[in-house]
Amino acid sequence: MRILVTVKHVPDLQSNRSFTDGTVTRTAEDGSMNELDEHAVEAALQLVEEAGEGEVYALTLGGPDAVSAVRKALQLGAHHAIHVSDEAVAGSDVFGTAMVIGAAVRKVHAEAPLDMVITGMAALDGLTSMFPTALAAELDWSQLTLASAVSVADGEATIERHLPDAHETVTAPLPAVVSVTDEANKPRYPNFKLIMAARKAEVPVWTLADLGIDPALVGGGAARATVVDASERPPRENRRQVTDKGEGGRELAEFLIEKGLA
Amino acid sequence: MSTDTVAVLIEHRDGAVTPPSLEALTLARSLGTPIALWLGDAPAADAVARLGEYGASEVRVVGIGDDARLPAKAAAAIAAATEDAPVLVVISTFVTKEIATRLAVLNGAGVVVDAAGASRVDGRIETFQTVFAATWNVRTRIDAERAIVGVRPNTTQASPAENPGDATVTQVEVALPQTRERLVSVEPVEQGEGVPLAEAPVVVSGGRGTNGDYTLIEEFAAVLGGAVGASRDATDEGWISHEHMVGQTGTTVTPALYVACGISGAVHHRGGMQASGTIVAINMDPDAPIFEISDFGVVGSLFDVIPQAIETIKAHRGE
């Protein structure tokens, strides 16, 4: 079982996240591996452990700081790390991103076939959940997304997914792109020995040239949509807070009635 | 290709057009001439009349059933049925986001999902959305010739067209591609009474402070005409099913009124509700982060506050 996990370096959820020139501001100090990607790493490790053999590759795309995301995956038990980094990729939309990561996946797949790519169901910065689908389309592999459970048997992967209107079971032949939710598993804690090893691990950096991609096809210039304005939302005005001394419910009701909400 | 045809993917339940679909049609009218796209069995006359009332001149019916649940099939069907429409509006859900992505790969469209609105600026579609747990406002211009906009429920006020017409119904035959994915089973989730969480105009959520008792939360939701939500803590405890979870990995909601009861307001929860219109919080802990983003906060026990609020509202209504 050979699985590649895509992990993303995102601004820390607790930090003051912001935009610069229409793209997310990324800094090393407050960034971390996208939390949902821990579930992707865990799902990959479990599938390899169940199979009794195999390897997990952790791959990230981003500037120099993004390497911390694959180092985190190594701490959790991933066997190999790859960092795709090229200034020309900055500002790419989901399709450009899928083209670059798709090329990197093909490069690994050409060395020895992969069974699966596993991703988190969303990145907690953009939250669009579009990347796994775009990658499956780019690779022309099976698409099994929003999985709360994944299993593999006889060259096919089967997932369960919980949608608001129905619980689905979907199956498809390998290789597949699978995205997992936080219901899929409970990520393990980083292992001390692996933490030390991850710190020293040599992480190869692949550029667009290594992937044979024309820089004109990716980046902000090739994006199909452009952020034309980004501004911080003003805090809520006229906030009111009362302490319940026996009248809290009445005060709340009056607020709702006054606002026409009750 | 008529340059101003705007196709709207209609969501329907048990044959009825859902409220977000009417919002999407209303938004589409401001972008061009809407046509309605209906996947499934042909709609009944009253559904067609409703779509006409909200401005659809035509209802295109593509007769695919459960196949529509596979994004690759749904996207192929939509691409074939809306070739003449440069703009497509869908209601942002996990499923339509996947369909939109597949479709954009097929037809080169630019996509913005989770939009809170859209307008036409110099011939291009511009969208408006909030990001980073609603702490930032972003405007995005779609530069591609084709545009797909995923719009969030409750972000456009639905209103009937000024000059409604009779919508004509056209049955469209499309050849669906083979897909690798195969649906093994589809088990419908019991839809309790009332509106689904994602599209409810009012959401009353309970968290750790309920200690697992949702009676008052349900009662308050019923009085306010809303749906019941929950925090991650509450679903993890098994107090309420996962479908009720509001948060970044559960359902994102943008109701006119959000009431958080016994919820501290961890960042994951805030990310799923912070864009709501008015936010009300009831919590014992005066330092709970939920108060930082609420318009009205009550420091107190939900078991004291909710019954009194219900009583006051009922008295006001003369009930």
Side-chain angles (χ1 to χ4, degrees):
Chain A
M1 186 69 51
R2 282 167 51 84
I3 301 175
L4 184 144
V5 180
T6 59
V7 294
K8 187 174 184 186
H9 176 79
V10 296
D12 189 272
L13 283 180
Q14 310 285 355
S15 71
N16 281 322
R17 297 176 290 175
S18 61
F19 276 83
T20 313
D21 299 333
T23 58
V24 177
T25 311
R26 297 180 196 279
T27 57
E29 300 80 51
D30 66 355
S32 56
M33 181 169 101
N34 178 41
E35 258 181 62
L36 278 162
D37 297 343
E38 291 182 27
H39 298 272
V41 174
E42 181 63 36
L45 293 170
Q46 284 184 13
L47 286 168
V48 165
E49 283 159 7
E50 274 163 34
E53 51 79 36
E55 287 172 304
V56 175
Y57 288 78
L59 181 145
T60 194
L61 168 65
D65 304 332
V67 73
S68 68
V70 281
R71 290 203 193 277
K72 177 72 187 285
L74 290 172
Q75 293 175 9
L76 294 169
H79 307 92
H80 309 280
I82 299 160
H83 181 192
V84 180
S85 194
D86 196 310
E87 279 178 19
V89 180
S92 291
D93 61 9
V94 68
F95 307 104
T97 302
M99 183 189 292
V100 175
I101 293 184
V105 169
R106 277 191 217 102
K107 190 171 153 80
V108 177
H109 190 61
E111 286 162 18
L114 287 164
D115 297 289
M116 231 183 249
V117 171
I118 306 185
T119 76
M121 52 86 84
L124 297 178
D125 51 355
L127 277 178
T128 70
S129 283
M130 290 168 67
F131 171 72
T133 302
L135 182 65
E138 166 72 30
L139 291 169
D140 198 17
W141 287 10
S142 303
Q143 171 187 340
L144 297 166
T145 43
L146 304 173
S148 55
V150 195
S151 61
V152 173
D154 305 326
E156 284 205 325
T158 300
I159 62 152
E160 283 169 37
R161 57 189 224 150
H162 297 168
L163 297 172
D165 68 328
H167 291 178
E168 295 178 350
T169 304
V170 190
T171 190
L174 298 174
V177 174
V178 174
S179 79
V180 294
T181 72
D182 52 5
E183 283 186 283
N185 52 47
K186 197 169 177 301
R188 64 195 66 186
Y189 290 103
N191 164 311
F192 181 73
K193 237 175 84 185
L194 293 175
I195 291 175
M196 300 312 287
R199 209 172 280 171
K200 289 189 216 131
E202 291 266 337
V203 178
V205 178
W206 294 355
T207 63
L208 290 183
D210 295 320
L211 299 173
I213 291 179
D214 176 356
L217 296 177
V218 298
R224 301 179 192 180
T226 317
V227 171
V228 289
D229 186 49
S231 56
E232 200 164 0
R233 261 191 148 192
R236 284 173 188 266
E237 282 176 14
N238 306 321
R239 282 165 45 212
R240 277 164 67 191
Q241 191 164 326
V242 299
T243 301
D244 181 31
K245 295 193 175 87
E247 292 293 313
R250 192 180 54 74
E251 289 171 86
L252 169 58
E254 282 167 2
F255 170 78
L256 294 175
I257 292 162
E258 184 191 311
K259 294 274 267 178
L261 293 164
Chain B
M1 180 152 89
S2 163
T3 53
D4 77 339
T5 304
V6 180
V8 178
L9 179 61
I10 300 299
E11 204 183 58
H12 48 93
R13 256 192 312 275
D14 303 324
V17 178
T18 66
S21 297
L22 302 179
E23 296 166 13
L25 273 171
T26 305
L27 175 67
R29 291 206 312 267
S30 71
L31 303 175
T33 308
I35 57 165
L37 181 63
W38 182 287
L39 302 185
D41 294 337
D46 57 343
V48 175
R50 196 115 174 100
L51 296 169
E53 191 189 337
Y54 281 79
S57 54
E58 186 188 341
V59 182
R60 289 192 194 159
V61 180
V62 184
I64 60 172
D66 264 359
D67 270 350
R69 301 193 73 93
L70 293 172
K73 290 214 198 240
I78 296 167
T82 60
E83 260 178 13
D84 60 335
V87 181
L88 172 71
V89 177
V90 303
I91 297 145
S92 254
T93 65
F94 282 125
V95 172
T96 58
K97 289 195 239 185
E98 296 185 352
I99 293 171
T101 309
R102 281 268 163 193
L103 184 56
V105 170
L106 290 176
N107 69 11
V111 189
V112 174
V113 297
D114 295 326
S119 58
R120 209 181 260 278
V121 180
D122 300 333
R124 294 283 179 211
I125 299 294
E126 280 195 9
T127 63
F128 165 82
Q129 67 265 35
T130 66
V131 297
F132 292 151
T135 56
W136 279 71
N137 291 331
V138 170
R139 263 191 322 123
T140 306
R141 184 184 62 235
I142 297 179
D143 301 308
E145 290 303 312
R146 284 178 173 275
I148 303 173
V149 177
V151 63
R152 294 203 48 77
N154 294 314
T155 53
T156 301
Q157 178 79 43
S159 63
E162 275 178 30
N163 304 302
D166 287 332
T168 57
V169 178
T170 326
Q171 190 79 34
V172 185
E173 296 302 326
V174 299
L176 293 180
Q178 288 291 320
T179 53
R180 294 184 177 79
E181 302 82 16
R182 190 166 51 84
L183 276 172
V184 178
S185 70
V186 179
E187 191 188 315
V189 169
E190 281 293 320
Q191 300 289 339
E193 285 175 33
V195 266
L197 188 56
E199 60 195 67
V202 175
V203 174
V204 181
S205 286
R208 191 160 286 285
T210 63
N211 291 317
D213 181 358
Y214 273 75
T215 320
L216 283 173
I217 306 293
E218 284 163 7
E219 199 184 326
F220 204 16
V223 167
L224 295 172
V228 172
S231 67
R232 177 80 200 257
D233 279 347
T235 57
D236 278 357
E237 289 283 352
W239 293 340
I240 187 163
S241 66
H242 183 80
E243 282 79 34
H244 291 275
M245 189 178 96
V246 171
Q248 292 189 328
T249 57
T251 302
T252 300
V253 296
T254 39
L257 171 64
Y258 188 84
V259 186
C261 310
I263 291 176
S264 65
V267 67
H268 288 90
H269 187 75
R270 296 210 306 268
M273 48 64 74
Q274 198 156 334
S276 302
T278 298
I279 297 173
V280 165
I282 305 166
N283 201 296
M284 302 276 274
D285 175 7
D287 297 323
I290 192 79
F291 287 128
E292 292 165 21
I293 57 157
S294 56
D295 299 283
F296 192 94
V298 185
V299 180
S301 163
L302 66 96
F303 295 99
D304 297 330
V305 174
I306 295 177
Q308 192 182 50
I310 291 174
E311 195 188 320
T312 311
I313 290 165
K314 284 189 170 168
H316 172 76
R317 289 177 183 166
E319 287 173 16

